[in-house]
């Protein structure tokens, strides 16, 4: 174990006349080197360890206790703390046998970038700095990959949920401003009549964003989906028409590019046409599948993407930018400024010919530059072709997983695609409640420490869901997952005896 600097040693090396947190450059250098060594070892050895391991209750309680000692600690303590108390207990999403949710491992270059950007510590909301220009540039790169028109602007966010919230707030302001009802009695009259549309498969963050902008649940219309879990344009048109007849104000439809449960892509063309015909905003939630236009095999589903009013993309999903990095892309960025630009005396007005501050495009003022640098670093490391190759890699793995599922008599494939996911069931050797059985099977696989997958409801049934978004996952991991699921089913999904370390493979 590395010898941490004692408090005394750190104090000896304190720069003159500077209080902590200042440190001596030599101490900082040594600690950074130690941290870098640990990070490369940790990321390298991760696949050999368990996906997750049970966390001792006493340790969890210690972390939650939140007691700050009065004596100063030392710099080296941070690395020791992370190594012993934090790193052994991750979500599991760094591991190649982790298949739950849409939760990627970090791109190594993104890890480096986060450290470097935090040293620069630029405030990407106000004033001028290089990282704010880089953020504008990375937004353009994303827009280009997504197939959005030249001139598209936008802003980086903590993730897809925040991007969807910004999108709905922007759509609402746009809609009411056009009607001349952005304030006063006209606002009171119109706001209560706004209605929002999305498919029944839309991510829950859409409903939550609607609630946050003051839309009650009964003004949100979850529209029926077809046999492939895509929004049904005829059902959308019927819902909109009924609402118009009732004197309501349909202001926005949210399509999904890559539904979270089954990876479906909603039909863009018919929705855009309907939106245009009655003056509705068309937002696409592409948190997972926003970059499909960059993939030849998917591009036909993304025709018309350039006519969207806004799109959410989550670079911390498909692109493996370290969390949290989402983005809202808006072909006409003026709409963002209308929604979010607010002045204050303590923020000197921008130069007349300066670009608008990024704080005028979102609800954050002081904003991190880590997102922009980590995104830029990941994109430039991949290159445009690398982005396509990476997504194609996931599509190929998903196809292989689906083939394995359909060729195994005890497994049944229920849904999945075109985005890389498989939703499936396994034969119950007993005869209990199938939903409870699949919940137990997933739990048993999770507890094994060898693989990890989650459940999801597909057409009212609880099924197993395996998602491909880890660039280190191989075909061997797919075989392992299938074995683990079958093994868990054999045991009826009963809990295993407690696992320590990486338990033996049941082969
Ligand atoms: C993941 C996801 C979100 C939420 O994004 P976060 O980054 O987790 O906030 C929204 N929509 C879809 C379709 C998603 O897959």
């Amino acid at each position: 174990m590395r010898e941490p600097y004692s408090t005394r040693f750190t104090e000896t090396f304190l720069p003159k006349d500077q209080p902590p947190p200042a440190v001596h450059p030599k101490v900082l250098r040594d600690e950074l080197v130690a941290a870098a060594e640990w990070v490369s070892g940790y990321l390298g050895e991760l696949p050999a360890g368990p996906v997750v391991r049970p966390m001792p209750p006493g340790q969890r309680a210690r972390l939650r206790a939140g007691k700050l000692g009065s004596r100063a600690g030392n710099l080296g303590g941070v690395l020791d703390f992370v190594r012993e108390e934090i790193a052994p207990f991750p979500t599991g999403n760094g591991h190649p046998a982790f298949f739950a949710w849409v939760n990627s491992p970090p791109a190594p270059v993104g890890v480096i970038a986060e450290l470097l950007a935090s040293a620069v510590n630029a405030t990407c909301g106000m004033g001028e700095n290089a990282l704010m220009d880089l953020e504008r540039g990375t937004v353009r790169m994303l827009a280009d990959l997504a197939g959005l028109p030249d001139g598209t602007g936008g802003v980086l966010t903590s993730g897809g949920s925040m991007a969807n919230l910004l999108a709905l707030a922007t759509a609402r302001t746009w809609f009411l401003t056009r009607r001349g009802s952005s304030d006063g009695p006209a606002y009171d009259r119109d706001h209560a009549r706004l209605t929002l549309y999305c498919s029944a498969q839309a991510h829950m963050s859409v409903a939550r964003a609607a609630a946050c902008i003051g839309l009650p649940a009964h003004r949100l219309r979850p529209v029926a989906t077809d046999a492939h879990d895509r929004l049904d344009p005829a059902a959308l048109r019927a819902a909109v028409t009924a609402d118009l007849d009732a004197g309501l104000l349909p202001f926005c439809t949210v399509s999904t590019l890559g539904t979270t449960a089954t990876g479906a892509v909603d039909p863009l063309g018919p929705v855009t046409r309907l939106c245009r015909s009655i003056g509705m905003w068309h937002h696409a939630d592409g948190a997972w599948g926003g970059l499909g236009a960059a993939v030849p095999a998917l591009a036909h589903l993304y025709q018309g993407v350039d006519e969207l009013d806004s799109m959410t993309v989550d670079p911390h999903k498909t692109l493996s930018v370290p969390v949290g990095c989402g983005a809202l892309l808006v072909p006409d960025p003026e709409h963002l400024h209308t929604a979010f630009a607010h002045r204050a005396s303590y923020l000197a007005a921008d130069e007349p010919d300066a670009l608008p501050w990024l704080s005028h495009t979102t609800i954050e003022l002081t904003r991190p530059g880590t997102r922009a640098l980590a995104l830029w670093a990941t994109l430039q490391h991949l290159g445009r072709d690398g982005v396509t190759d990476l997504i194609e890699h996931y599509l190929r793995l998903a196809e292989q997983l689906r083939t394995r599922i359909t060729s195994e008599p005890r497994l049944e494939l229920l849904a999945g695609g075109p985005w890389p996911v498989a939703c499936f069931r396994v034969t119950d050797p007993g005869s209990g409640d199938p939903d409870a059985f699949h919940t137990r099977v997933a739990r048993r696989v999770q507890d094994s420490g060898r693989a990890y997958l989650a459940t999801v409801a597909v057409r009212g049934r609880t099924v197993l869901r395996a998602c491909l978004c880890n660039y280190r996952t191989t075909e061997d991991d797919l075989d392992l997952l299938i074995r683990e699921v079958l093994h868990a089913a054999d045991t009826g999904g009963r809990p295993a005896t407690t696992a320590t370390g990486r338990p033996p493979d049941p082969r």
Side-chain angles (χ1 to χ4, degrees):
M1 185 168 141
R2 195 178 49 91
E3 198 54 48
Y5 290 104
S6 71
T7 307
R8 210 180 135 80
F9 181 78
T10 309
E11 278 163 0
T12 312
F13 278 84
L14 255 189
K16 249 187 164 21
D17 306 326
Q18 293 173 16
V23 296
H24 191 282
K26 167 160 171 25
V27 175
L28 178 61
R29 184 200 165 278
D30 290 355
E31 287 304 332
L32 282 171
V33 168
E37 260 167 21
W38 179 82
V39 166
S40 63
Y42 169 77
L43 291 176
E45 289 155 20
L46 221 151
V51 184
V52 291
R53 71 181 104 212
M55 193 163 170
Q59 195 161 350
R60 301 184 70 167
R62 265 204 313 285
L63 294 177
R64 286 196 303 262
K67 292 242 169 48
L68 180 62
S70 49
R71 266 185 82 237
N74 60 56
L75 219 54
V78 178
L79 178 52
D80 295 338
F81 177 73
V82 168
R83 188 171 44 203
E84 280 147 38
E85 308 275 334
I86 303 293
F89 309 106
T91 315
N93 54 319
H95 198 285
F98 182 91
F99 297 90
W101 311 304
V102 190
N103 219 334
S104 309
V109 73
V111 176
I112 299 172
E114 292 253 336
L115 172 68
L116 299 175
S118 68
V120 175
N121 203 31
T123 297
C124 281
M126 62 248 203
E128 288 298 328
N129 63 68
L131 278 174
M132 202 150 69
D133 281 320
L134 188 73
E135 178 163 341
R136 295 180 178 111
T138 54
V139 159
R140 298 297 298 272
M141 290 179 197
L142 279 182
D144 202 38
L145 288 166
L148 299 181
D150 288 347
T152 295
V155 67
L156 300 183
T157 63
S158 58
S161 303
M162 185 58 84
N164 284 339
L165 173 60
L166 297 182
L168 293 195
T170 306
R172 186 253 313 266
T173 300
W174 167 81
F175 184 85
L176 293 179
T177 304
R178 274 186 4 146
R179 286 177 64 85
S181 53
S182 57
D183 202 358
Y187 175 92
D188 293 337
R189 188 191 63 226
D190 281 1
H191 200 277
R193 296 191 291 148
L194 296 175
T195 50
L196 173 68
Y197 305 80
C198 61
S199 95
Q201 291 295 318
H203 191 266
M204 68 83 186
S205 60
V206 174
R208 187 166 58 187
C212 287
I213 67 159
L215 239 61
H218 72 278
R219 289 280 182 262
L220 174 62
R221 305 276 182 264
V223 175
T225 47
D226 66 14
H228 299 285
D229 305 305
R230 297 172 300 205
L231 182 144
D232 174 1
L236 173 66
R237 179 175 289 277
V240 167
T241 306
D243 285 337
L244 286 171
D245 289 348
L248 297 174
L249 297 173
F251 82 104
C252 177
T253 294
V254 178
S255 297
T256 308
L257 305 173
T259 58
T260 313
T262 68
V265 174
D266 287 344
L268 292 176
V271 178
T272 297
R273 284 193 288 282
L274 176 64
C275 287
R276 288 275 186 281
S277 71
I278 64 153
M280 254 198 299
W281 183 277
H282 188 187
H283 172 66
D285 178 1
W288 183 17
L291 302 184
V295 184
L298 300 176
H300 64 286
L301 301 171
Y302 289 76
Q303 268 173 24
V305 83
D306 54 336
E307 291 180 284
L308 288 167
D309 295 303
S310 56
M311 186 200 283
T312 288
V313 180
D314 243 354
H316 65 205
K317 287 186 172 167
T318 311
L319 294 179
S320 267
V321 175
V323 292
C325 182
L328 177 65
L329 307 174
V330 185
D332 182 351
E334 209 34 55
H335 297 314
L336 277 179
H337 304 147
T338 311
F340 297 110
H342 280 252
R343 307 274 159 195
S345 63
Y346 40 84
L347 301 170
D350 315 357
E351 295 293 321
D353 55 348
L355 291 167
W357 292 355
L358 287 182
S359 59
H360 293 326
T361 63
T362 178
I363 56 178
E364 298 172 317
L365 174 56
T366 304
R367 311 176 59 252
T370 44
R371 294 171 193 152
L373 195 67
L375 174 56
W376 174 84
T378 308
L379 286 175
Q380 68 86 34
H381 190 222
L382 286 167
R384 211 191 145 89
D385 291 348
V387 171
T388 304
D389 292 347
L390 180 62
I391 297 173
E392 285 176 343
H393 174 74
Y394 295 140
L395 297 180
R396 214 163 28 244
L397 276 177
E399 206 43 58
Q400 284 159 353
L401 179 60
R402 293 185 203 117
T403 304
R404 280 165 168 76
I405 291 168
T406 39
S407 58
E408 165 56 54
R410 295 164 63 198
L411 299 177
E412 181 195 2
L413 182 69
L414 286 144
W419 281 82
V421 66
C423 299
F424 60 108
R425 300 199 112 189
V426 54
T427 308
D428 184 352
S431 56
D433 167 9
D435 288 348
F437 171 71
H438 282 85
T439 305
R440 283 201 310 276
V441 167
R443 187 60 201 257
R444 169 93 196 217
V445 173
Q446 293 169 4
D447 287 348
S448 77
R450 291 181 292 263
Y452 199 107
L453 87 176
T455 57
V456 72
V458 171
R459 282 158 230 133
R461 306 205 283 169
T462 301
V463 306
L464 302 172
R465 176 183 178 283
C467 181
L468 283 304
C469 60
N470 186 322
Y471 53 86
R472 298 171 87 176
T473 299
T474 64
E475 286 197 55
D476 288 347
D477 296 302
L478 305 182
D479 293 332
L480 171 72
L481 177 70
I482 299 278
R483 276 200 310 277
E484 289 298 330
V485 166
L486 294 175
H487 177 67
D490 284 342
T491 67
R494 279 183 304 280
T497 46
T498 34
T500 47
R502 192 172 205 197
D505 196 318
R507 268 174 295 192

